[in-house]
Amino acid sequence: MRRIIVLFILLIPISYSYSQQTLTLEECRNLAIRNNKELKIATQTIKAADYEKKAALTKYFPELSATGAYLWNQKDLRLIDFGKLGAIGELLGTIAPEITDIGHLDIQNVWVGAVSLVQPVFMGGKIINYNQITKYAKELAESMNDQKLQDVIYQIDETYWQVVSLVNKKKLADSYVLLLRKTNSDVTEMINEGFATQAEGLSVKVKLNEAEMAQTKVENGLALSRMLLAQLCGLSLDEPILLADENMDHIPVRETQTFADVNEAFMSRPELKSLNLATKMLEKKENIVLADMLPNVGVAANYLITNPNSFHGFKNDFGGMFNVSVMLKIPISGWWEGSYKRNSARAETLISRLEYEDAREKIELQVNQSVYKVNEAHKKLVASSRNMESAEENLRHASFGFEEGVIPALNLMEAQTAWLSARSSLIDAQIDVKLSNVYLTKALGKLTPQQQNNNQ
């Protein structure tokens, strides 16, 4: 019998024979960012907020408007009824018919037009605060876009390394199944030759069936994870994808402690920035409520034109005039309603401040937890590497003993199972190192498209 351990190791690096698209982690991130619908919505939200900001700026300038109207009347106006004057009315109509037109006003076609210019002078600070709110709203949209961007990158990284983990688990499952098939064949020969019992043969078959079931589960999980990654990247679910890190065999072990400054997270986390901007917007909302309780002053200038006009008699032509006005509005009964609204706005501002403080505490805890996870992941990797070395040595001894006939098949399978468990734990530890660094980077608010996995 050939050395089983050699066969086991040689079977691990099974590669794909068909052509696939190879993607790096950075390429997956870029594809996801380019194709993510929520990021596209966030971009349009920023544009909308920018337009609102520009629209608010126009409130500082005069408002110019033009109004026009046309009216058709069935009848004209006659202010004097000459028929009631009797003979005198008939005489005037005969001698001087133009006299009877004195009281006749032609209003069958009436044209009215006006041009108005209104300039706010003092609106209680409403315009200033409204402009500041729109400015904060644009910054808030940008901050929420940054948060969504980090969420997308985080999801891509998590799925990417999950696929890498399952690829290596599948290779391990495939090699283990092949090894058990080889062991099953050898044990069958030994049973036929009288060197092994039927019980040993059944034990090997049970292990082989369990390994084949585990192999199927890993294959299904890998297929679904690849589909998820393709969907996140905006690719076809049927398009085969090969990841650049699928053949990851070893990660350098670092035993140094990882530290993080929580103040960096306070400065970088978009969630805190968003809550801070929301608080500022609510403070400005308080000022707007107060502005509704203060006097408002405005200046207006108008030009009015009519046809018929009555500036020099009543004529069927166009005539107009200018006027200038100063408007003052002082709320009186609105003070009671305004005071309640202002108290409500103050409560909303206080709620936002409390949410900000609560978020700071949670982020501080999250950063500390992420640091612990990074250090724990590296310690786990060190331990898993040592366990792997011990399992390999144990498997070598068991394989040699089995070949020499001094160790039964059951002990060999126990060594194989221990090796499989150690190898699987090593894969998990390697992926944990990658993901724990991703978690820490996100907790610090520094998970950007330029953040590469090679600095982990």
Side-chain angles (χ1 to χ4, degrees), residues 321-345:
M321 68 172 180
F322 289 97
N323 62 52
V324 179
S325 63
V326 176
M327 297 170 289
L328 174 64
K329 178 184 177 182
I330 302 177
I332 299 177
S333 61
W335 269 86
W336 290 275
E337 179 185 5
S339 63
Y340 297 139
K341 287 184 176 180
R342 195 178 184 196
N343 290 335
S344 175

Side-chain angles (χ1 to χ4, degrees), residues 113-384:
V115 177
S116 301
L117 185 147
V118 178
Q119 172 63 58
V121 178
F122 177 74
M123 305 300 292
K126 182 183 296 185
I127 296 177
I128 295 175
N129 286 282
Y130 178 59
N131 273 269
Q132 291 175 336
I133 285 178
T134 56
K135 172 178 173 290
Y136 293 144
K138 181 184 177 182
E139 294 178 5
L140 178 60
E142 293 171 345
S143 177
M144 295 181 69
N145 178 72
D146 292 339
Q147 182 177 346
K148 177 56 62 177
L149 177 62
Q150 293 201 19
D151 290 341
V152 169
I153 296 174
Y154 172 78
Q155 192 173 13
I156 280 290
D157 284 26
E158 189 176 43
T159 307
Y160 181 94
W161 292 116
Q162 182 181 10
V163 171
V164 171
S165 175
L166 289 173
V167 166
N168 285 273
K169 292 288 185 68
K170 182 181 180 301
K171 293 176 184 178
L172 184 59
D174 292 343
S175 62
Y176 187 54
V177 168
L178 290 175
L179 180 62
L180 286 177
R181 287 173 181 171
K182 179 68 169 61
T183 303
N184 181 55
S185 177
D186 293 340
V187 171
T188 301
E189 292 180 6
M190 295 175 67
I191 292 173
N192 296 333
E193 296 174 0
F195 294 104
T197 65
Q198 291 292 339
E200 290 177 322
L202 290 175
S203 298
V204 174
K205 285 182 172 58
V206 170
K207 282 289 184 181
L208 177 58
N209 291 335
E210 292 176 352
E212 289 175 343
M213 292 177 61
Q215 181 187 39
T216 301
K217 290 181 180 180
V218 171
E219 289 174 350
N220 293 338
L222 177 58
L224 292 175
S225 296
R226 285 191 188 276
M227 289 182 184
L228 176 59
L229 183 61
Q231 187 269 330
L232 293 174
C233 293
L235 302 176
S236 172
L237 300 184
D238 299 327
E239 184 176 354
I241 300 176
L242 182 65
L243 303 183
D245 294 292
E246 286 189 6
N247 294 321
M248 178 190 66
D249 294 324
H250 178 69
I251 294 179
V253 178
R254 297 184 303 172
E255 298 191 31
T256 57
Q257 288 288 106
T258 298
F259 301 94
D261 185 2
V262 71
N263 291 320
E264 293 183 19
F266 294 156
M267 295 292 292
S268 304
R269 286 290 288 266
E271 298 94 327
L272 286 181
K273 184 177 180 181
S274 297
L275 287 172
N276 186 41
L277 289 169
T279 302
K280 291 180 179 179
M281 292 173 66
L282 290 172
E283 290 173 350
K284 299 305 175 183
K285 180 182 175 181
E286 288 185 48
N287 296 336
I288 289 179
V289 173
L290 177 61
D292 291 333
M293 303 166 63
L294 299 176
N296 294 337
V297 180
V299 177
N302 304 283
Y303 180 79
L304 179 67
I305 185 171
T306 61
N307 184 354
N309 77 81
S310 56
F311 298 111
H312 300 288
F314 195 83
K315 300 179 181 180
N316 290 103
D317 58 8
F318 288 93
M321 68 172 180
F322 289 97
N323 62 52
V324 179
S325 63
V326 176
M327 297 170 289
L328 174 64
K329 178 184 177 182
I330 302 177
I332 299 177
S333 61
W335 269 86
W336 290 275
E337 179 185 5
S339 63
Y340 297 139
K341 287 184 176 180
R342 195 178 184 196
N343 290 335
S344 175
R346 285 174 175 171
E348 290 178 356
T349 304
L350 179 58
I351 291 173
S352 183
R353 291 196 185 103
L354 293 174
E355 289 176 345
Y356 177 82
E357 294 299 325
D358 182 60
R360 277 178 61 97
E361 295 174 359
K362 291 180 179 178
I363 286 175
E364 183 177 5
L365 177 61
Q366 189 180 67
V367 170
N368 290 326
Q369 288 176 336
S370 299
V371 170
Y372 292 146
K373 286 182 179 179
V374 169
N375 294 325
E376 181 181 351
H378 284 287
K379 292 179 181 179
K380 180 181 177 182
L381 180 57
V382 172
S384 298

Side-chain angles (χ1 to χ4, degrees), residues 67-83:
T67 305
Y70 167 76
L71 176 66
W72 180 84
N73 295 298
Q74 180 185 7
K75 298 179 180 180
D76 294 334
L77 292 179
R78 293 187 178 274
L79 302 179
I80 301 176
D81 187 359
F82 285 94

Side-chain angles (χ1 to χ4, degrees), residues 37-48:
K37 299 295 188 300
E38 293 183 355
L39 283 178
K40 292 180 179 180
I41 293 173
T43 300
Q44 295 302 317
T45 303
I46 294 174
K47 291 182 179 180

